Amino acid sequence: MGRGRPLVSILRTLPGIPAVRRSLIALSLILLTSTVIFHFLEGWPLLTCLYFTAATITTVGYGDVVPTTEAGRLLSVIVMFSGIGVASYALGDIIQLVFRGELSLAIKEDVLRKRIKEVENHIIVCGFGRTGSRVADLLSERYKFDVVVVDKDEEAYERAVYQGFPAVLGDATREDTLREANVESARGMVVATGDDRTNVFVTLLAKNFRRDLHVVAVANSREGAEMMERAGADEVLFLYDCASRHIVRAALSPTMFRVTVRHSVDEISDVMWIIIGNGGVVQCVEYYTPPLKSPIRRDVVISSMDEVMRFVKSLEKYPERKKTLEDLYRVSENVHTYYVIVHNEEERERILRELDRRGYLVGVDLTIDEILQEIERLRGE
């Protein structure tokens, strides 16, 4: 029985062919080859030769057809040892397909492989570990982007396929792998393999493919982040830095509030003075562009008037920048929202009271619908 293993082992090394197909190919080769040779050795019809070969492999016995030549008997012995081994492996693979869920995986693979060839304007996620899988979920579920996953780990690849992502099993540092992921038609790439050196190489390769491809690389160290920037990544995120910022934001969330105000570009310094002078820190600004509901969000950390004055001077130095900001303000009737962090309730009350006294305050912790309704009301005046 062990004689059938080498042929299956050789076929299993062929890329791009699932294990069960390789086993079935091996079994078919033995059936076909033996049928033809028996036909020439014994002079039997081809159907009889096929029947005899199958009877030999399955060990059901002969009774009605037996080889009459020495060469035919020798071939029967070879078929017995090689065919039974291959048949056993093929049967084992088929059982695995059914009982381990690999049949559904194989079906999904075929469907999703066709989608990769047809998809355009998609985002490639290299690495389907903790970070990559979360990124892929968010891009697909929340933002409705087509995502193609690339991972050289078979377990990660299968997990991606089970979750419904078109996926490529291969090394992202190889050109043929990126081509298989249809990098020519992609709109962007997220490189999150978990290894900084690999991420640097993938970034370089992707940028060599297409200079206009937007590449976001995830670094596990500051040194890795610097290397990825040099490799040409459009954006580099230091993983633990991002986590720290989210932790801090969560820790400060009980002391944070949203204040919606109305003021012109020239009044920015006045409003910032009220907020910062009363102990507040601005960590985010949201601009509105009705009728679109989703605001334009800009993450900032403004905790001193020096930062504010540098920004104001930059607007004076670059008039086109100020003009762009004024146009954005005009769309929303000068209404926008600041996310403000304070240390206590007294600071919050002082900020709100002063904004209201100066006529800047629109509301506190308003919903987007409420803000858009206020903008529409102002337009109608």
Side-chain angles (χ1 to χ4, degrees):
M1 290 174 63
R3 293 294 181 88
R5 185 164 186 167
L7 181 56
V8 177
S9 300
I10 292 170
L11 286 167
R12 285 184 185 230
T13 63
L14 295 176
I17 305 177
V20 67
R21 292 184 187 174
R22 293 193 287 259
S23 298
L24 291 175
I25 289 172
L27 184 59
S28 300
L29 284 174
I30 290 178
L31 280 169
L32 180 62
T33 304
S34 300
T35 297
V36 172
I37 296 176
F38 274 126
H39 174 69
F40 285 107
L41 290 178
E42 301 293 332
W44 299 333
L46 287 173
L47 185 58
T48 301
C49 296
L50 177 62
Y51 163 76
F52 179 76
T53 302
T56 304
I57 291 175
T58 56
T59 69
V60 298
Y62 305 128
D64 51 350
V65 180
V66 292
T68 57
T69 65
E70 294 297 323
R73 290 181 179 134
L74 178 61
L75 179 60
S76 297
V77 173
I78 295 172
V79 171
M80 287 177 192
F81 284 99
S82 62
I84 291 173
V86 172
S88 299
Y89 272 90
L91 182 61
D93 283 335
I94 292 171
I95 291 173
Q96 283 184 350
L97 276 174
V98 176
F99 289 98
R100 288 175 53 189
E102 293 180 17
L103 182 59
S104 61
L105 176 64
I107 294 171
K108 280 187 175 182
E109 279 181 312
D110 286 338
V111 173
L112 296 175
R113 197 174 289 118
K114 292 175 183 176
R115 275 182 57 189
I116 294 176
K117 295 178 182 178
E118 299 169 356
V119 72
E120 291 182 350
N121 210 30
H122 57 293
I123 296 177
I124 300 171
V125 176
C126 297
F128 201 69
R130 253 187 214 175
T131 303
S133 60
R134 181 61 180 151
V135 168
D137 285 339
L138 287 172
L139 287 170
S140 176
E141 294 176 13
R142 183 175 296 180
Y143 299 102
K144 309 303 179 186
F145 280 105
D146 288 319
V147 174
V148 174
V149 172
V150 175
D151 204 303
K152 65 180 179 181
D153 180 72
E154 193 165 352
E155 185 178 333
Y157 163 78
E158 290 180 359
R159 193 167 65 250
V161 172
Y162 275 126
Q163 292 181 26
F165 292 109
V168 175
L169 178 60
D171 189 346
T173 63
R174 294 175 57 90
E175 291 185 11
D176 55 343
T177 302
L178 294 187
R179 283 199 181 92
E180 193 175 347
N182 203 2
V183 69
E184 291 88 352
S185 301
R187 68 177 295 157
M189 176 184 289
V190 176
V191 187
T193 69
D195 180 78
D196 283 352
R197 289 168 298 181
T198 302
N199 289 352
V200 169
F201 197 93
V202 174
T203 300
L204 282 169
L205 185 61
K207 281 297 186 179
N208 284 334
F209 256 111
R210 279 180 47 199
R211 297 304 302 175
D212 64 326
L213 184 68
H214 187 77
V215 176
V216 177
V218 179
N220 295 288
S221 66
R222 296 193 184 279
E223 295 79 9
E226 292 175 3
M227 292 170 64
M228 289 170 210
E229 285 179 358
R230 292 175 191 164
D234 297 281
E235 292 187 53
V236 179
L237 301 177
F238 180 32
L239 193 59
Y240 301 109
D241 223 18
C242 293
S244 300
R245 285 199 298 269
H246 281 298
I247 291 169
V248 169
R249 189 172 295 176
L252 294 175
S253 60
T255 65
M256 184 181 70
F257 66 98
R258 300 190 314 277
V259 56
T260 302
V261 295
R262 187 187 188 203
H263 65 78
S264 67
V265 173
D266 291 330
E267 294 169 321
I268 288 177
S269 57
D270 292 339
V271 174
M272 288 296 103
W273 177 256
I274 293 172
I275 294 174
I276 295 170
N278 286 291
V281 176
V282 177
Q283 75 152 14
C284 175
V285 186
E286 285 184 345
Y287 304 101
Y288 303 94
T289 55
L292 298 178
K293 280 198 168 186
S294 298
I296 299 172
R297 182 185 178 102
R298 185 180 171 212
D299 289 320
V300 294
V301 178
I302 305 173
S303 57
S304 73
M305 284 305 296
D306 288 341
E307 297 171 72
V308 176
M309 296 315 296
R310 281 197 297 270
F311 176 70
V312 171
K313 287 179 180 178
S314 73
L315 295 180
E316 295 172 355
K317 185 176 180 180
Y318 302 102
E320 69 280 359
R321 185 180 298 177
K322 183 177 181 180
K323 176 68 166 54
T324 301
L325 191 57
E326 287 174 337
D327 290 342
L328 183 59
Y329 272 41
R330 192 176 300 112
V331 170
S332 61
E333 297 294 327
N334 289 340
V335 173
H336 40 280
T337 298
Y338 294 114
Y339 285 63
V340 181
I341 294 174
V342 292
H343 299 89
N344 50 57
E345 187 65 23
E346 288 77 11
E347 290 179 350
R348 179 179 185 272
E349 291 304 318
R350 283 202 305 268
I351 291 170
L352 295 177
R353 188 166 55 247
E354 187 65 16
L355 288 172
D356 189 33
R357 186 182 72 81
R358 298 285 298 276
Y360 294 128
L361 184 64
V362 174
V364 184
D365 293 331
L366 300 178
T367 65
I368 291 178
D369 285 338
E370 289 172 334
I371 294 170
L372 294 178
Q373 286 172 10
E374 177 63 17
I375 292 173
E376 287 301 318
R377 186 187 69 77
L378 291 169
R379 283 179 176 174
E381 290 182 351

